[in-house]
Amino acid sequence: MRVDPFTVSVPDEVLTDLRERIGRTRWPEAAPGEAWSQGVEVGYLRELLAYWADGFDWRAAERELNRYRHQVAEVDGVRIHFVHHCGSGDERTPLILTHGWPSTFAEMLGLVDRLGDRFDLVVPSLPGYVFSQRPAQVGVDRRYVAGMWHRLMRGLGYERYGACGGDFGAGVATHMALLEPERVIGIHLSTPEMEPYTGPGTPPLTGEEQAYLAQLSRWEETERGYSAVQSTRPQTLGYGLNDSPAGLAAWVLDKWRSWSDSGGDLDGTFGRDSLLTMLTLWWATDSITASMRDYYDNRWHGSPIGPEDRVRVPTAMAVFANEFVPEGQVPRSWYERLYQVRRWTAFPRGGHFAAMEQPDLLAGDIAEFFGGLT
C-alpha cells in the first residue's frame, strides 16, 4: 500500500468565496417562543457567521492542524486521509480512532496529544468526510468501512491493534471485532451505536432495559428528524447545505448543542475557533453530502446485528452522563447482549462528543483499558 504525506491547505479563492457567501446570507425571521426550541437561534448564528467571515483566522487553524502528521493512502481504490502518530518506546500498542457524524478527524486530535507517548495512533477520516473519498456505490456501511480499516492498518504494518470510536466510529470498531477478531486486541466505545439482537432465543428485556428503550424512544421523537431525512433524501438536503454556509452551520451545530453536555453554551464548551475549524473543513471539501450517505447506506444497505453475532474481544464502555439519555438509564446488561464487556466506566459529565468535551477523561480510560490488555 502506498502512503503519501498530506498537508491541509485551503486555496485563498475558497476562503474568499466563503466570506462572500456569508455576506449574502438571506436570514429567516426569529422563531417565536423560547430560544432554540425550534432549532438554532438566529441571533447566535448571525454573530457566529460574522466572526467566521471577518474574525476567524483559518490560516492559524490550518497551522495547528498541520502540527500533526497527515497521510493519504489508497484503500479499495479510494483515497483515505488519516493522521498517523507513532509513539516512543518499543512496547507501543497500535490504536485506530474513528470519529462519527457530524464530526471530523479533528475531534480526535486531543486524544493524540494525550495518548501519543504510549501508543501508535491512526486517526482516519471516514469515507466521504473532508479529505477522504467515498466509494461511488451504495452499501458503504459500518461493516464495509471496518474492512477498509483492517486493510489500512495492515498496509501500515500493524498485525494486531485496538479500535476506538464514538457514533459511527463505535459501529465501525464493533464490526472490526466481528470481522477479524484475531487482529483486534480490544475495542473501546464512547457511545452506544449498535443495538444488540433481541429476537427469538434471547433473554427477555430487563426492567432497566425497558426503561432505557422507552427513554430512547422519547428522545427519538424530538431529535431523530435529521436521521429520517439523511437516510432517505441525503442528496436533496445536500444541495442546500453545500451551497450555504449558514445552512451548513445551522444543521451541524444544532447537533453539537443538543447532543453535548454544553448546557446550551456551545462556544464555552468547544471554543468558537474549534467549531469553525470543523465547519471550514466541511465547507472547503464540499463533503457534507457524501458524509450524510452514511445514514442512507446503513439504513437500506447495512449489515444488521444478527442472532449469531457476538463481539468476543475485550470491550470497554465509557458511558458519559449526557450521551442522549441519562447515564443511569443505560444498563450494562444492554451492552452485554452483544459485547464481552471487560471495563465499564460511568462519567458524571460529558456527552456525545467526548473526545472534545472531556478529552482527559476519555484518554485516561482508553489508556487504562489497553494498558491492562498488553
Side-chain angles (χ1 to χ4, degrees):
M1 183 180 75
R2 177 177 171 177
V3 177
D4 293 316
F6 180 83
T7 300
V8 179
S9 180
V10 175
D12 286 337
E13 55 266 28
V14 173
L15 301 177
T16 298
D17 176 67
L18 170 62
R19 287 191 290 269
E20 292 174 351
R21 287 172 183 262
I22 290 174
R24 294 194 303 268
T25 300
R26 295 175 58 187
W27 293 100
E29 63 183 15
E34 184 180 351
W36 293 88
S37 62
Q38 296 187 43
V40 175
E41 200 270 321
V42 68
Y44 169 80
L45 196 61
R46 291 190 77 134
E47 183 180 346
L48 180 72
L49 262 68
Y51 177 70
W52 196 3
D54 296 322
F56 175 58
D57 187 348
W58 165 252
R59 295 305 180 197
E62 206 171 58
R63 288 192 294 273
E64 177 64 18
L65 291 173
N66 285 321
R67 286 199 304 110
Y68 301 89
R69 181 189 181 198
H70 295 260
Q71 296 180 318
V72 291
E74 187 173 295
V75 182
D76 297 348
V78 299
R79 183 190 69 246
I80 295 297
H81 158 264
F82 55 98
V83 167
H84 190 192
H85 175 91
C86 295
S88 57
D90 298 327
E91 301 297 327
R92 306 188 307 268
T93 301
L95 299 179
I96 185 165
L97 313 177
T98 309
H99 64 88
W101 190 94
S103 189
T104 72
F105 74 93
E107 180 190 354
M108 300 296 185
L109 295 182
L111 299 182
V112 175
D113 295 335
R114 291 162 174 80
L115 296 171
D117 289 343
R118 297 174 52 183
F119 297 91
D120 279 5
L121 301 171
V122 177
V123 184
S125 295
L126 284 166
Y129 291 65
V130 296
F131 305 113
S132 284
Q133 293 177 324
R134 189 174 184 87
Q137 64 188 64
V138 297
V140 184
D141 70 337
R142 302 176 187 93
R143 188 178 183 88
Y144 186 105
V145 177
M148 294 182 75
W149 278 193
H150 277 304
R151 290 183 281 282
L152 173 63
M153 293 299 279
R154 289 200 298 273
L156 293 174
Y158 300 120
E159 292 300 318
R160 297 196 74 230
Y161 35 83
C164 310
D167 195 85
F168 279 121
V172 171
T174 298
H175 280 288
M176 289 183 72
L178 290 170
L179 278 174
E180 298 188 48
E182 70 280 2
R183 295 191 178 277
V184 180
I185 299 167
I187 62 174
H188 185 287
L189 312 178
S190 60
T191 65
E193 176 70 8
M194 303 302 298
E195 292 189 358
Y197 178 77
T198 55
T202 60
L205 296 175
T206 68
E208 281 186 319
E209 289 170 339
Q210 291 175 5
Y212 166 68
L213 293 177
Q215 188 157 347
L216 185 60
S217 179
R218 290 191 292 272
W219 177 87
E220 290 180 340
E221 289 178 0
T222 58
E223 291 288 339
R224 214 28 122 174
Y226 79 98
S227 180
V229 176
Q230 292 181 179
S231 65
T232 56
R233 297 293 187 272
Q235 187 72 17
T236 301
L237 176 61
Y239 293 111
L241 303 189
N242 201 59
D243 192 59
S244 167
L248 173 66
W251 193 254
V252 169
L253 294 182
D254 182 79
K255 306 310 166 197
W256 278 74
R257 184 179 185 273
S258 296
W259 300 351
S260 64
D261 192 15
S262 67
D265 183 6
L266 269 173
D267 295 354
T269 300
F270 298 105
R272 181 172 287 189
D273 284 2
S274 293
L275 294 172
L276 290 174
T277 295
M278 173 184 63
L279 289 172
T280 305
L281 286 168
W282 284 115
W283 180 263
T285 55
D286 293 330
S287 58
I288 189 64
T289 309
S291 76
M292 295 188 296
R293 301 195 204 288
D294 267 343
Y295 287 83
Y296 184 90
D297 283 353
N298 279 289
R299 179 174 180 180
W300 303 108
H301 304 279
S303 305
I305 297 297
E308 304 302 319
D309 287 324
R310 172 75 178 171
V311 174
R312 303 193 183 279
V313 307
T315 301
M317 298 289 186
V319 184
F320 289 87
N322 200 54
E323 171 46 39
F324 294 170
V325 296
E327 172 269 320
Q329 294 294 316
V330 186
R332 179 169 177 163
S333 63
W334 180 250
Y335 294 95
E336 290 176 334
R337 290 174 176 269
L338 176 59
Y339 301 98
Q340 183 189 139
V341 179
R342 186 75 63 85
R343 180 182 177 88
W344 175 271
T345 312
F347 292 106
R349 59 189 182 277
H352 191 70
F353 306 101
M356 283 182 67
E357 295 179 61
Q358 298 294 336
D360 290 334
L361 295 181
L362 182 57
D365 202 60
I366 290 171
E368 289 187 25
F369 174 61
F370 285 102
L373 296 179
T374 56

